[in-house]
Amino acid sequence: MIVPPGSRIGIIGGGQLGRMLALAAARLGYRCHIYAPEPSGPAADVSASWTQGAYEDADALATFAATVDVLTYEFENVPVAPVKLLASRLHPNPIALEVAQDRLAEKDFVAGLNLRPAPYRAVDDLEGLRAAIADLGASAILKTRRFGYDGKGQARIASPADAEAAWAAIGSRPAVLEGFVRFDREFSIIAVRGIDGAFATWDAPDNVHENGILALSTVPAGPLVQAQVEEAVAMTRRVAEALDYVGVLAVEYFATAGGPVFNEMAPRVHNSGHWTIEGAVTCQFENHIRAICGLPLGSTALAAPRVEMRNLIGAEADDWPAILADPTAHLHLYGKGAPRPGRKMGHVTRLLAG
């Protein structure tokens, strides 16, 4: 089904990803209506309408859905049960949401496709954690099954003696223990799949994280990552097709001596794809809108020989005067108000000669 320009797009969630989706939609002639539990947010400045309501409120969500022509979401921690009632007009579908919300379900899903996740074990209690450490080895990372992002809900384990402290650090919640993966670089595949099954990817960015938060994405990536991109794209396509996915999908990988290792997926537009706004012919946000509305996908080709995207974390956003004085820089501030340590306040993209 084609949702033509002039229609209304409902976005569940009102953060910076919703903001950038709404901007892209407006360029194509769509009006966006946001649904979120907060009274306002970064997407409010650029959207036609905002409805405040709880994500768990199925009746309120249904009322909201009746005002729009197609639905999407900007982050994956939306309760699945109420949005399943909207499945006929929601992209990506709730199955993708359900898989990505739970790290154990996600890893089981990927393993079931005969792909290559990091070694892992389910952990339900402290004794289970000790058993998992004995099985996988002490050099590992413990992650909550749900709601962890940007390094939150995680604890590193260097020896069996760290088990009790790690379990307490994640709040004694159901978790996954991931065995140590020796990797040289981290990269992501940002893909888009249309309603008709059309599939495309952007250049794979080489990603650098600091304190568990993405700091820098660069394209083209170096030769180590480039050598593994073809296999990683094939893996990502298998994930997308198995989920009958529509929209932008991001999958993060470790580049290892044995090839790309699946780290995690995000069923939405992704921070490591922000460089595409200026750095690609068609950005991830526009192609997401095109996909969910049944439009032809746009070109994902590079718009410059080299592109670099750096997140502005906390007070780094206060450097806007110097950034604006740089002729290579494109500044994006998210309108979040006062900066806080560890909070993504914006990003800057630079188009470089090479």
Side-chain angles (χ1 to χ4, degrees), residues 20 187-191 201-207 214 216-221 270-285 299-311 330 332 334 347-352:
M20 289 180 270
F187 69 100
S188 50
I189 300 297
I190 311 296
T201 61
W202 286 263
D203 277 50
D206 187 329
N207 298 323
L214 180 66
L216 178 69
S217 292
T218 304
V219 293
H270 193 259
N271 194 179
S272 67
H274 288 0
W275 64 269
T276 63
I277 297 174
E278 290 85 21
V281 175
T282 309
C283 73
Q284 64 166 345
F285 300 98
S299 169
T300 57
L302 282 174
R306 182 166 172 265
V307 186
E308 177 182 287
M309 188 284 296
R310 183 174 291 277
N311 273 326
H330 296 266
H332 297 258
Y334 302 151
H347 71 270
V348 57
T349 301
R350 292 179 171 87
L351 307 186
L352 305 171

Side-chain angles (χ1 to χ4, degrees), residues 10-22 32-38 40-44 47 49-51 53 55 61 64 72-76 78:
I11 302 175
I12 301 173
Q16 66 260 25
L17 298 180
R19 180 188 184 98
M20 289 180 270
L21 283 169
C32 286
H33 186 170
I34 305 297
Y35 182 96
E38 302 84 10
S40 186
S47 300
S49 307
W50 182 290
T51 292
Y55 292 135
L61 272 169
F64 160 73
T72 190
Y73 47 88
E74 62 125 29
F75 79 126
E76 61 267 42
V78 179

Side-chain angles (χ1 to χ4, degrees), residues 32-321:
C32 286
H33 186 170
I34 305 297
Y35 182 96
E38 302 84 10
S40 186
D45 297 336
V46 298
S47 300
S49 307
W50 182 290
T51 292
Q52 183 179 9
Y55 292 135
E56 299 81 6
D57 190 335
D59 290 338
L61 272 169
T63 299
F64 160 73
T67 69
V68 301
D69 300 291
V70 67
L71 291 154
T72 190
Y73 47 88
E74 62 125 29
F75 79 126
E76 61 267 42
N77 289 330
V78 179
V80 172
V83 298
K84 276 186 174 179
L85 303 176
L86 313 175
S88 63
R89 289 187 296 140
L90 178 71
H91 302 296
N93 64 56
I95 298 171
L97 193 64
E98 197 165 28
V99 168
Q101 282 184 353
D102 186 315
R103 284 191 171 97
L104 180 60
E106 178 183 88
K107 292 178 184 300
D108 286 346
F109 171 76
V110 171
L113 294 176
N114 295 316
L115 302 183
R116 190 184 295 122
Y120 67 97
R121 297 291 183 273
V123 174
D124 294 319
D125 51 35
L126 181 56
E127 288 308 309
L129 173 57
R130 292 190 173 112
I133 292 171
D135 193 14
L136 292 181
S139 186
I141 182 166
L142 183 67
K143 299 180 179 181
T144 56
R145 285 178 57 172
R146 302 175 67 85
F147 303 120
Y149 64 96
D150 287 346
K152 300 177 178 68
Q154 302 182 14
R156 295 190 179 277
I157 294 174
S159 76
D162 295 334
E164 189 168 352
W167 183 243
I170 67 162
S172 305
R173 291 179 287 170
V176 173
L177 185 72
E178 292 183 5
F180 178 73
V181 174
R182 189 176 298 279
F183 64 92
D184 298 293
R185 304 297 301 177
E186 295 178 82
F187 69 100
S188 50
I189 300 297
I190 311 296
V192 60
R193 186 171 184 268
I195 287 175
D196 60 355
F199 182 85
T201 61
W202 286 263
D203 277 50
D206 187 329
N207 298 323
V208 176
H209 292 79
E210 296 175 1
N211 300 317
I213 302 173
L214 180 66
L216 178 69
S217 292
T218 304
V219 293
L224 179 65
V225 169
Q226 291 285 12
Q228 302 193 13
V229 165
E230 184 177 356
E231 184 178 1
V233 167
M235 293 166 69
T236 303
R237 185 165 192 162
R238 287 182 66 183
V239 170
E241 291 179 349
L243 293 170
D244 193 21
Y245 196 92
V246 173
V248 167
L249 169 70
V251 181
E252 296 180 90
Y253 292 94
F254 299 123
T256 77
V261 171
F262 177 99
N263 179 21
E264 60 186 29
M265 61 177 270
R268 53 170 170 78
V269 289
H270 193 259
N271 194 179
S272 67
H274 288 0
W275 64 269
T276 63
I277 297 174
E278 290 85 21
V281 175
T282 309
C283 73
Q284 64 166 345
F285 300 98
E286 180 177 326
N287 257 343
H288 185 82
I289 297 299
R290 286 177 177 236
I292 68 171
C293 292
L295 308 181
L297 302 181
S299 169
T300 57
L302 282 174
R306 182 166 172 265
V307 186
E308 177 182 287
M309 188 284 296
R310 183 174 291 277
N311 273 326
L312 300 175
I313 309 298
E316 292 175 354
D318 294 338
D319 291 337
W320 60 264

